[in-house]
Amino acid sequence: MSAERLTAQYNREFCTPGSELAAVAQHVKDFPTLAPWHGEYLARPLFVAERELREFADDLQHLIEILFSLPDRMFGGDLDAFRSVLGISDGHWEAIRRFGELVPPHYGRADMYHDGTSFKLLETNLGSESGGWGLASEMSRATMEVDDFADFARRNRLGYVHPVRAAVEALRRFGAQVVSGRDPVVAMLEWRGGLADYGELWLNFQSAVRSAGLDILLAEVSDVHERGGALYLGDRKIDVVYRAFVPDQIVEEPDGWDLVAPVLRAQRAGGTLLYTSLSSNMFANKACLALLSDPARRRSLSEDECRLIDRVLPWTRLINTDTFRTDTDLVDECLERREQLILKVNARGGGVGAVVGWETDDATWRRALENSAAEGCVVQQRVIPRPELVVDPESGKTEEWHAAYGMFYTPHGCAGAYAKVVPAGSGGIISIASHAKACSAAVFCQSDLPVGGEALAAGTAT
């Protein structure tokens, strides 16, 4: 059954007098591990075909491997040339190099839209600093506690992957390098003041991780100290740091290097491991996607690799000061295609600095291109999300929403998904922070195998 037909069936049952499906969102909101997060939830979960999500996840894993090979394949191993194209500053680059590992693990959250035909990748969000793991995990778990939904899931072979359980498994395997016969002691480290800004999300993450069977401490970089080649929080030795700070924070504060010095010493001594390396931030730079998308830059890629890239990645081009000086054809194309393009600043997330071409005028668009070029940005082909039909529990009316799906991944593959949703027509950027009516939504996958097959069948979680 297609996602559209499954949604129609769900909405019919939702409207049946006495159905518990109308209570799903409130049950999710009241779920204990979600209590620290004060967000809103869509009236229903979203549905995707498991096969479709798995195929996209396989493509994503291959695409990330290609990303990691870019310094060698496009720049002959010249890392300075690579980071120059990405617009990475000297200080940012020093932070990446001093913390070692250049190639990070496959760990993060890919953001994508479904255009009605397939998923299209918008950003890779490599690195442990990407959020949403706990929120996605516990929304799905809470939804399954509603009996009418559990019955609907069984009848339609719906299931989900619990992202935090996948993260816990990845952390256990990673921590096995320094511990034996027990779980690693993991500490999620934010930057100084970070828990005040993001504490709700990280408390939700901590609750979900503990519920999945692994203890995790929450702290800021200013709270820890190094002793004997290992990092400590008070008297407790930390085996693995789950990194939530980024290179910019180190280099932009006068005492940034002093703050991370204990972490750096412990990592170099080998007593405490850092998950994930700061180079994640480099490969998550949006300019990397432009390098993959631009045919003029990918002569070193195979035909199969190019087909994969074109299958999942919208047309994306790099705009910087060199572009304005040397590639007038590209600049002219971006100006002419304003209504089909969105501008995104390379090293920023959450929609910060983005300019939606189809929501602005020609003069504003030109200024945005010129101003963002100095910092480094990409322009990307507009992807129109398919409508997600949702019944409003109060009015009973069916409304259209648009979803930005987030698919989590670890070195061991797809780790589940969730979505951020906004009412259709309420703006070109789907963001919880910038929309008063934005909600989060659980995502369930429908297996096309019979119940009992090797799939997420019968409402089970893995």
Side-chain angles (χ1 to χ4, degrees), residues 12 35 68 75 136 152 156 171 208 277 325 351:
R12 285 194 298 272
F68 292 165
F75 298 89
F152 183 85
N156 290 283
L171 286 167
S277 61
R325 187 170 58 251

Side-chain angles (χ1 to χ4, degrees), residues 307-327:
R307 279 193 290 269
L308 182 156
I309 292 165
D310 292 338
R311 183 163 61 242
V312 301
L313 182 64
W315 182 97
T316 307
R317 295 294 185 269
L318 176 65
I319 300 290
N320 54 29
T321 51
D322 287 341
T323 306
F324 268 88
R325 187 170 58 251
T326 63
D327 196 345

Side-chain angles (χ1 to χ4, degrees), residues 65-66 69-77 297 300-302 305:
E65 288 291 349
I66 299 170
S69 73
L70 289 181
D72 289 332
R73 296 171 71 174
M74 289 191 181
F75 298 89
R297 295 181 178 270
S300 61
L301 305 183
S302 71
E305 289 171 329

Side-chain angles (χ1 to χ4, degrees), residues 218-298:
L218 296 187
E220 296 178 356
V221 290
S222 52
D223 298 329
V224 297
H225 62 277
E226 180 265 336
R227 185 171 75 236
L231 206 61
Y232 284 79
L233 180 62
D235 292 328
R236 192 162 186 190
K237 178 182 177 294
I238 299 168
D239 300 311
V240 175
V241 166
Y242 188 91
R243 179 183 60 80
F245 58 90
V246 296
D248 286 349
Q249 292 170 313
I250 299 173
V251 303
E252 289 175 0
E253 291 203 26
D255 61 345
W257 282 109
D258 292 334
L259 285 174
V260 296
V263 182
L264 186 56
R265 288 197 302 268
Q267 185 210 22
R268 287 178 171 174
T272 300
L273 305 178
L274 183 67
Y275 195 81
T276 55
S277 61
L278 270 68
S279 59
S280 298
N281 198 255
M282 173 175 67
F283 288 106
N285 187 296
K286 298 175 184 65
C288 288
L289 298 182
L291 294 177
L292 293 181
S293 177
D294 190 348
R297 295 181 178 270
R298 58 188 193 185

Side-chain angles (χ1 to χ4, degrees), residues 88-350:
I88 295 175
S89 68
D90 291 345
H92 189 134
W93 184 238
E94 181 186 4
I96 291 172
R97 297 308 301 270
R98 284 177 66 176
F99 272 90
E101 299 271 344
L102 183 63
V103 178
H106 290 224
Y107 187 90
R109 187 197 71 236
D111 289 344
M112 64 266 198
Y113 286 174
H114 197 293
D115 66 1
T117 302
S118 63
F119 285 112
K120 299 299 181 185
L121 177 68
L122 305 180
E123 298 180 19
T124 57
N125 293 307
L126 270 159
S128 49
E129 67 269 32
S130 59
W133 292 78
L135 182 61
S137 302
E138 300 303 87
M139 281 193 297
S140 298
R141 190 159 74 98
T143 300
M144 282 299 301
E145 286 195 353
V146 178
D147 289 341
D148 281 4
F149 183 84
D151 176 66
F152 183 85
R154 282 189 293 271
R155 286 185 280 115
N156 290 283
R157 299 193 303 276
L158 296 176
Y160 69 97
V161 176
H162 192 283
V164 161
R165 292 177 191 169
V168 164
E169 178 62 21
L171 286 167
R172 282 177 171 146
R173 294 192 188 190
F174 184 73
Q177 299 174 73
V178 291
V179 300
S180 178
R182 65 170 175 85
D183 280 343
V185 176
V186 180
M188 194 286 298
L189 284 193
E190 252 291 359
W191 194 247
R192 182 173 55 196
L195 291 181
D197 295 331
Y198 304 108
E200 285 186 359
L201 279 175
W202 291 130
L203 283 169
N204 162 238
F205 180 68
Q206 181 186 48
S207 296
V209 169
R210 287 176 170 173
S211 179
L214 180 69
D215 192 18
I216 185 169
L217 311 173
L218 296 187
E220 296 178 356
V221 290
S222 52
D223 298 329
V224 297
H225 62 277
E226 180 265 336
R227 185 171 75 236
L231 206 61
Y232 284 79
L233 180 62
D235 292 328
R236 192 162 186 190
K237 178 182 177 294
I238 299 168
D239 300 311
V240 175
V241 166
Y242 188 91
R243 179 183 60 80
F245 58 90
V246 296
D248 286 349
Q249 292 170 313
I250 299 173
V251 303
E252 289 175 0
E253 291 203 26
D255 61 345
W257 282 109
D258 292 334
L259 285 174
V260 296
V263 182
L264 186 56
R265 288 197 302 268
Q267 185 210 22
R268 287 178 171 174
T272 300
L273 305 178
L274 183 67
Y275 195 81
T276 55
S277 61
L278 270 68
S279 59
S280 298
N281 198 255
M282 173 175 67
F283 288 106
N285 187 296
K286 298 175 184 65
C288 288
L289 298 182
L291 294 177
L292 293 181
S293 177
D294 190 348
R297 295 181 178 270
R298 58 188 193 185
R299 289 183 293 272
S300 61
L301 305 183
S302 71
E303 291 184 3
D304 285 344
E305 289 171 329
C306 291
R307 279 193 290 269
L308 182 156
I309 292 165
D310 292 338
R311 183 163 61 242
V312 301
L313 182 64
W315 182 97
T316 307
R317 295 294 185 269
L318 176 65
I319 300 290
N320 54 29
T321 51
D322 287 341
T323 306
F324 268 88
R325 187 170 58 251
T326 63
D327 196 345
T328 55
D329 288 344
L330 176 58
V331 174
D332 289 344
E333 182 178 4
C334 291
L335 293 172
E336 291 170 4
R337 297 181 57 202
R338 170 183 59 78
E339 294 186 355
Q340 304 167 29
L341 301 176
I342 182 170
L343 179 153
K344 303 177 182 180
V345 180
N346 289 343
R348 301 194 202 177

